[in-house]
C-alpha cells in the first residue's frame, strides 16, 4: 500500500513539473520581436482611429451649436 501511494505521488509531481515546464517553454517561444511590433502597430492604429472619431464628434457638436435648436 505504501509503495502505491509513493508511486502515485511521484507520478503526480512529475506531471505537475512537466506541465509547468511546457507552459514556461511555450510562453518564452510565443513572445517574439514581431509580436511586440505588431502590438505596437495595432495600438497606434487604434489611437489614430480614436483621434479621428473624436474630431468628427467635435465637428458634429460645433455644427449643432449654430442651428436653431429645435
Amino acid at each position: 500500500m505504501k509503495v502505491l501511494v509513493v508511486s502515485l505521488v511521484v507520478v503526480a509531481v512529475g506531471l505537475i513539473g512537466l506541465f509547468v515546464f511546457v507552459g514556461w517553454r511555450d510562453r518564452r517561444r510565443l513572445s517574439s520581436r514581431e509580436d511586440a511590433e505588431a502590438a505596437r502597430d495595432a495600438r497606434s492604429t487604434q489611437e489614430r482611429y480614436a483621434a479621428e472619431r473624436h474630431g468628427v464628434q467635435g465637428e458634429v457638436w460645433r455644427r449643432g451649436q449654430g442651428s436653431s435648436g429645435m
Side-chain angles (χ1 to χ4, degrees):
M1 182 69 177
K2 192 174 195 179
V3 173
L4 178 64
V5 172
V6 170
S7 298
L8 290 175
V9 168
V10 168
V11 169
V13 169
L15 287 174
I16 291 171
L18 182 65
F19 181 77
V20 169
F21 172 73
V22 169
W24 170 77
R25 182 196 63 187
D26 288 346
R27 203 172 21 250
R28 286 192 60 197
R29 188 174 16 172
L30 290 177
S31 61
S32 68
R33 174 175 279 171
E34 292 88 16
D35 291 341
E37 290 173 5
R40 195 170 34 252
D41 289 343
R43 226 179 355 263
S44 68
T45 301
Q46 184 180 18
E47 289 173 3
R48 187 179 76 240
Y49 287 153
E52 290 172 359
R53 202 170 45 245
H54 181 70
V56 168
Q57 288 173 349
E59 288 298 319
V60 169
W61 182 81
R62 278 188 226 115
R63 274 188 264 141
Q65 293 298 313
S67 67
S68 63
M70 287 187 192

